[in-house]
Amino acid sequence: MNGHPNEPLSAEERDLAARLARLGPHDGPPPELDAKIMSAARQALNEAPRRNTRRRWLGLSGGAGGLVTGLGLAASMTLVLGVVWQMRPMEGLHMPAAEG
């Protein structure tokens, strides 16, 4: 996996591994460290500046920018509806047959 050949441990490395194993279980950090980390995270969260949670949809709700956006949206919808109206099927209109 790491690209290094598996070499047997030297006597010094085996001794170090045995001493580390005698230190005890290595299940993870002590609970005190977890509590300190959680406390620091809560404190940082409380000190973080709050963002404005009110969202505007495409700026339609405020000022001159909202007016311009609203007028642009109305103009686009008028154009789309005009094109759709022009493309509708003409059911009642029958063309006379060409004489041949």
Side-chain angles (χ1 to χ4, degrees):
M1 250 188 243
N2 59 9
H4 298 290
N6 291 334
E7 298 176 7
L9 297 177
S10 67
E12 186 177 303
E13 291 170 333
R14 283 192 302 272
D15 181 48
L16 180 60
R19 281 192 271 159
L20 287 174
R22 283 190 298 258
L23 288 177
H26 303 287
D27 294 335
E32 296 84 21
L33 180 60
D34 281 340
K36 286 180 184 179
I37 291 171
M38 290 300 291
S39 173
R42 283 189 203 100
Q43 182 180 3
L45 185 61
N46 290 335
E47 293 174 0
R50 301 279 182 199
R51 289 178 41 186
N52 188 2
T53 57
R54 194 176 90 188
R55 295 185 182 194
R56 295 183 177 151
W57 186 74
L58 293 177
L60 289 177
S61 63
L67 178 63
V68 170
T69 305
L71 289 175
L73 185 60
S76 318
M77 291 303 295
T78 304
L79 180 65
V80 167
L81 290 174
V83 169
V84 169
W85 184 263
Q86 294 288 327
M87 294 179 68
R88 74 185 190 288
M90 304 294 271
E91 295 173 7
L93 184 62
H94 293 288
M95 301 293 287
E99 294 180 24

